[in-house]
Amino acid sequence: MTEEKEDKKKVPIPVEGKEEKKKKKWYWGCGGCGCLGFILIVLIGGCVALFGGTDEDDLDKKVDNKVVNVEEKDKDKAKEEQEDKKKAEQAKKEQEEKEKAEQAKKEQEEKEKAPQAEQDKKEADQAKEEKACLNIKGNTSSSGEKIYHVPGGQFYDKTNAEQTFCTEGEAKSAGYRESKR
């Protein structure tokens, strides 16, 4: 048997005419392999369609996801900007309220200081007048005589001044005489 197999292997198939072409076709088989190949291609295509999809579908999904992500990012940015604006407005309002409070405090202090300052000013003016001016009171008596009274005199406190003088010289030059008491 081994010899026969060896003989078959070594013997070339002669090619002659139409009959031999038919045999050659027959030699290549019945075409079953071609059917199997076709079936395999159809099955592979079906699997790809069901499970794998195409690259274009994946690209569309990726593009859609990117568009959605970009839209979400834009929305997030818009929300952040609105929050930042609200925070800035709130900070501005707080700053304005602080400034108003400080201004009101300053005004209150000035109001409190103003009467005290006026009083201090009046006292200073009175002190100046007392040093510079003796507050001599000039009055006309019931007889029509003009008399001036100096501080410390007997009638100084009782006299209603019609006119005041700083010095005795002013009172004398105005036609007043010194009180006898």
Side-chain angles (χ1 to χ4, degrees), residues 6 15 32 43 53 58 83 103 132 151 155 163-164:
E6 290 179 12
V15 178
L43 285 174
D58 291 340
E83 290 176 3
Q103 188 176 11
F155 299 105
Q163 199 172 11
T164 57

Side-chain angles (χ1 to χ4, degrees), residues 129-138 148-151 164-174 176:
E129 288 178 9
E130 287 176 4
K131 290 179 182 176
C133 187
L134 296 174
N135 283 336
I136 298 172
K137 295 181 182 179
Y148 68 88
H149 303 273
V150 292
T164 57
F165 305 100
C166 287
T167 62
E168 288 183 23
E170 288 177 2
K172 287 181 181 177
S173 64
Y176 286 84

Side-chain angles (χ1 to χ4, degrees), residues 33-157:
C33 290
C35 290
L36 285 174
F38 179 74
I39 291 171
L40 283 175
I41 291 172
V42 170
L43 285 174
I44 292 173
C47 289
V48 169
L50 286 175
F51 301 110
T54 62
D55 289 339
E56 292 176 8
D57 291 339
D58 291 340
L59 288 175
D60 289 342
K61 289 179 184 177
K62 288 179 183 177
V63 169
D64 289 342
N65 287 339
K66 286 181 181 178
V67 169
V68 170
N69 288 339
V70 169
E71 289 175 357
E72 289 176 1
K73 287 180 182 178
D74 290 343
K75 287 179 184 178
D76 291 341
K77 285 181 183 179
K79 286 181 182 178
E80 289 176 6
E81 288 175 2
Q82 287 177 351
E83 290 176 3
D84 290 343
K85 285 180 183 179
K86 286 180 182 178
K87 288 179 182 178
E89 289 175 3
Q90 188 175 11
K92 188 176 181 181
K93 286 180 182 178
E94 290 175 359
Q95 184 67 23
E96 289 175 357
E97 290 175 2
K98 285 181 182 178
E99 290 175 0
K100 286 180 182 178
E102 288 177 7
Q103 188 176 11
K105 207 180 230 185
K106 287 180 182 178
E107 289 176 0
Q108 184 68 23
E109 289 175 359
E110 288 176 7
K111 286 180 182 178
E112 291 174 358
K113 290 180 180 178
Q116 187 178 6
E118 288 179 19
Q119 186 178 6
D120 291 344
K121 188 175 180 181
K122 286 180 183 178
E123 289 175 1
D125 289 344
Q126 287 176 353
K128 286 180 183 178
E129 288 178 9
E130 287 176 4
K131 290 179 182 176
C133 187
L134 296 174
N135 283 336
I136 298 172
K137 295 181 182 179
N139 190 7
T140 306
S141 67
S142 57
S143 62
E145 193 175 13
K146 293 181 177 182
I147 303 170
Y148 68 88
H149 303 273
V150 292
Q154 184 178 0
F155 299 105
Y156 182 81
D157 293 330

